[in-house]
Every structure is written in C-alpha cells, then in structure tokens.
Amino acid sequence: MADAPYLIALNLTERCNLACDHCYLDAKVLKEGATDELNTADVKRVLGEIAEVGPEAMVVLTGGEPTLRRDLPELAAHASGLGLMVVVGTNGMSLTPQRIETLQQSGVAGVGISVDSLNPDIHDTFRGRKGAWVKTMQGIDACKDAEMPFQIHFSATDETADEIDDMVAFARDAGAMVLNVFFMVCTGRGEKYSGISPEKYDRVLRHVATAARREKRLMVRAKCAPHFKRIAIEMDPEWPITAAHGYDAGGCIAATRYARITPNGDVTPCPFMENSAGSVKDTSFSEIWHNAPVLNALRAPKLEGRCGACEFQKLCGGCRARPLALTGNMMGEDTLCTYQPQGGAIITPMMPATAALQWDEDAETHIARVPGFVRRMVRRRAEDYVRSEGRDKVTKADLTLLAKRRFGDNGPPAFIKNMRVPK
C-alpha cells in the first residue's frame, strides 16, 4: 500500500488576476473561470478524504489565484479543523492586513508568495501586469507586520538565473521562512515558454545547494529539480542532504508523497503532469491515491534513456513531467539534465532502520509541536542519531542538539516555534 501523502496541492480555481507566461494551469483572466470547479461542499468532502489518508499532511490551497474564491476562509477553517496543516499559495497582490487577519483566524499556518525577479519590470512582464511587483511587495510587508509566516517562490529562468544569490539574500532579509526555487516544466500556458537552459539549470542548482548548506535561518530548497541530489553528492559526498544518507530532500515526490487536485477534481501526480489518475467527483481520494495505475507506475518507475542507465536513478530519477510534456512518455529521459551516465553501480538510498526506539515523555511532547508535514523527517533523523550513539531512547536533549546543529544556537526559526499546529 502507498505511504500516506504529506503534501497535497489543491487548485481551487482557474480564475486569476494575472496572466503569467509560465502558468502550468493556463489560468484564465478574472472575468472568465471554469464552470465545473468543485464547489464548497465538494472541497470540504475532499479535504475530509485527504485527512483520512494523510492525517499529518499539508494542504496548499492555491489556484489560479485562491483569494478570488470567497469561500477560501471557510475552506481553510474546515481543513485546519480536520488537523491538516493549511498553507495558501498566492501571487501576494491581495494580501491586505484585513485579508491576512481573516486567514489567520481561519487557521492558515502560512502563505507562499511568488516573486519572479527583484527587477520590477521583469517581474511585471513575467506576470503580465504592470504594477504587480509593487503589490506583491506590499503583501510581503503585510505578512511581516501580522507575523504571518511566509515563503518566497522564485522561478529560475534564463533571464533570472543570475539573480539566485540576490534572491537568497532578499528572502533572508525579508524574513521569509523558506525560499523555494522552481524550474519550469512546459505545460499549460508555459508550454511555449523556454524556461532555462541545461547549463544554467546546473549552475543554479549548485548555488541552491551551497545556500541550503550555508543558511541557518532560511530554508533554501530546489523544486521540480530532482538532480539536486546528484549535484549535492558531487559537491560533497559526505554531506547528509540526500537519500543516500537517509535524508529526504531535493528529489521528486510526485505520487509517492505528493499529488495535485485540479479545480474540476482531477487528481494528477503533480501540477506539471496533466495525466489524470481519476476524479474526486466520482471516486474517493483514498481509492485514487492507493490504486490509480498512473500513481503506482511512478512509485515503481521503469525509466528509459539516460535516466534508465544512470547510477543516480534511485536518488534522482529525473523529472517525469518534462518527458511527458515533450514526448508523451513519462518514463523517458529528462532532457534538462546534462549528466552522462558513467556505467557505475546504482547508488541505493539508505533505508531507515526498523528497530523500534523509545521516546521519553518530554521528547514526545516536543515532537508533537513540530508541524506534521516535517514531523516524520525530524523523528527519523532523531532516531538515526540516537542509534548511532548506541542508545535506545530519544530524549528532548537529543532534539535540541539536532536543532542547534541545523539552525545554530538560537534553535529553529521563529516560524517553526510559533507555527499554529492543528489539534
């Protein structure tokens, strides 16, 4: 049986107040919008089904532009009441102090805000609306003032790739909790968008890997870039940032721990893959998640081309959305990768140990305060550490030590300490 998902993207609407060049959904302008979108009752039912399958999952309510749905606060409150961690993915233009207060009261734990360039003209051109950058910056300021945790989403393209170091500094100085660096997949409106060259892609990933290791108060992550794992190992084989060392980061989680639900109810492996695994209008999310052939194929992939011959195939596996978009074969090779297989043995991810460990009462209390979508990773790292010490019980002191190693003497950032954890 498939593992429980820990991240579900729920596209609430195709309506949007922008017309971005790279939109995977081909979101419609404000005056349009699909007529078959899931209604309030539908979304609430689906949220309940998600909570049954993944009780500790994070749900990203996004679009289009989700703030254009009047029932967004109602849906967020329902999801939070089910114990799900709720995040809103937005362009930030509608994040007024009043709206942020409403979202906070509805149980929203944080927002993801898209910033495509630190140059206002480039951002506005990319987003298809003059003045968009200023409104997005105002939204970021409003989040800071309201102490609403937020992350920055940056799409690396040929035009913006050289901004990566400045974007890291901007996100850190702005008080963001995370900088997610996305790489384009040619779907939706972005099917004609050039995105980024393989050479710049590789270079940006190395900058992301360096920042991920260096930054203590800002989490820097590569998205839609499973090659991050290979590059991290090439930079430092002893760096515990890949599944080769039991660390779950950097790779593709489509169908294994992640799925997307479209505005009209189709479940797909990720936002960039349009091959439906089924519709929640006529099939439960649980049935789709556990039994859909499309999802199960990605859980045991039979890779072709360079990906099928690559020694990093179990760590990386390539992006499955890119060959699907280009050739219709989701098992084809990822053309954005520059690596040529060397004919070596396949690198096998370190499997988590199975021997049960005890947790003392203080440690259990402490881990319960960690947001559910990262709790399993924290628990695994703590148990691996305690086993390496030759002990059989995890203590709060172990968790504190690991937090200091990751974040410095001040411990985890405030957004983790203060994040609203659903009861």
Side-chain angles (χ1 to χ4, degrees):
M1 180 175 290
D3 292 338
Y6 61 59
L7 180 61
I8 301 294
L10 183 47
N11 294 128
L12 294 178
T13 182
E14 291 184 2
R15 299 176 67 200
C16 191
N17 48 4
L18 293 175
C20 305
D21 283 343
H22 62 301
C23 181
Y24 62 76
L25 194 62
D26 196 12
K28 306 299 190 295
V29 295
L30 181 62
K31 65 181 180 180
E32 299 181 20
T35 59
D36 60 347
E37 293 179 352
L38 299 176
N39 61 32
T40 303
D42 290 332
V43 176
K44 286 184 175 181
R45 172 181 56 79
V46 172
L47 287 167
E49 294 171 357
I50 291 171
E52 290 179 2
V53 178
E56 294 184 338
M58 172 193 283
V59 172
V60 182
L61 302 178
T62 184
E65 175 50 45
T67 59
L68 296 179
R69 277 195 64 144
R70 294 181 179 180
D71 59 355
L72 176 61
E74 181 180 353
L75 297 175
H78 186 77
S80 179
L82 292 169
L84 298 168
M85 185 68 67
V86 184
V87 173
V88 172
T90 172
N91 56 43
M93 294 174 59
S94 301
L95 292 180
T96 63
Q98 294 79 12
R99 187 181 296 277
I100 292 172
E101 182 179 2
T102 298
L103 293 177
Q104 289 175 320
Q105 292 173 349
S106 301
V108 173
V111 295
I113 303 174
S114 298
V115 179
D116 295 306
S117 175
L118 298 177
N119 182 317
D121 291 335
I122 294 176
H123 177 93
D124 289 356
T125 299
F126 203 54
R127 292 272 152 182
R129 179 172 173 177
K130 189 172 181 59
W133 189 88
V134 171
K135 284 190 170 293
T136 295
M137 293 299 114
Q138 291 172 345
I140 290 174
D141 288 341
C143 286
K144 291 166 58 178
D145 291 342
E147 297 185 347
M148 168 68 92
F150 68 96
Q151 50 187 271
I152 300 295
H153 297 167
F154 169 62
S155 296
T157 69
D158 268 340
E159 188 174 16
T160 63
D162 292 335
E163 292 190 46
I164 181 63
D165 291 334
D166 290 339
M167 188 62 70
V168 170
F170 167 78
R172 179 184 63 240
D173 295 344
M177 59 182 185
V178 178
L179 171 65
N180 285 324
V181 182
F182 285 84
F183 296 86
M184 297 297 95
V185 179
C186 298
T187 60
R189 188 181 295 128
E191 65 183 355
K192 297 180 181 178
Y193 193 78
S194 61
I196 191 169
S197 67
E199 293 73 25
K200 282 192 177 180
Y201 175 73
D202 190 273
R203 188 171 76 242
V204 171
L205 280 180
R206 292 180 185 278
H207 281 264
V208 171
T210 299
R213 188 173 192 178
R214 180 189 67 233
E215 296 294 328
K216 296 297 184 183
R217 312 304 296 172
L218 174 71
M219 294 184 182
V220 182
R221 304 186 296 199
K223 293 294 184 178
C224 306
H227 318 88
F228 176 85
K229 292 186 175 184
R230 169 182 60 81
I231 286 175
I233 287 180
E234 289 176 344
M235 292 174 66
D236 184 355
E238 300 305 315
W239 182 23
I241 195 66
T242 75
H245 303 88
Y247 191 94
D248 189 11
C252 178
I253 59 175
T256 58
R257 296 173 295 268
Y258 175 45
R260 181 271 297 258
I261 302 175
T262 69
N264 66 359
D266 282 329
V267 178
T268 72
C270 82
F272 297 109
M273 302 182 79
E274 298 175 347
N275 47 343
S276 176
S279 173
V280 294
K281 286 185 175 180
D282 53 42
T283 308
S284 73
F285 179 78
S286 176
E287 173 68 20
I288 295 171
W289 176 258
H290 289 300
N291 298 317
V294 168
L295 303 184
N296 284 328
L298 288 167
R299 291 163 186 158
K302 298 178 180 178
L303 304 179
E304 301 174 12
R306 283 183 298 135
C307 290
C310 184
E311 53 268 44
F312 291 97
Q313 61 182 266
K314 290 189 178 296
L315 292 182
C316 168
C319 173
R320 298 297 97 218
R322 292 192 182 98
L324 178 66
L326 290 172
T327 68
N329 176 15
M330 69 179 183
M331 294 301 168
E333 70 177 46
D334 186 343
T335 56
L336 200 53
C337 178
T338 60
Y339 183 75
Q340 294 296 328
Q342 303 298 304
I346 295 175
I347 300 172
T348 303
M350 179 186 295
M351 300 304 293
T354 56
L357 290 185
Q358 293 180 309
W359 285 61
D360 71 20
E361 185 175 350
D362 287 344
E364 286 286 8
T365 300
H366 189 82
I367 196 75
R369 299 193 184 107
V370 175
F373 63 97
V374 294
R375 190 178 301 142
R376 280 173 289 185
M377 184 186 300
V378 174
R379 182 179 289 273
R380 183 193 302 175
R381 293 176 69 190
E383 292 186 349
D384 286 346
Y385 167 72
V386 170
R387 287 190 185 94
S388 72
E389 293 286 301
R391 295 183 282 114
D392 60 5
K393 179 178 286 188
V394 181
T395 69
K396 182 180 178 181
D398 294 321
L399 299 177
T400 300
L401 174 62
L402 292 173
K404 285 184 177 180
R405 286 184 177 179
R406 171 63 181 86
F407 300 109
D409 290 338
N410 293 326
F415 81 87
I416 291 179
K417 296 177 182 177
N418 302 328
M419 185 173 280
R420 300 168 181 80
V421 179
K423 302 298 183 184

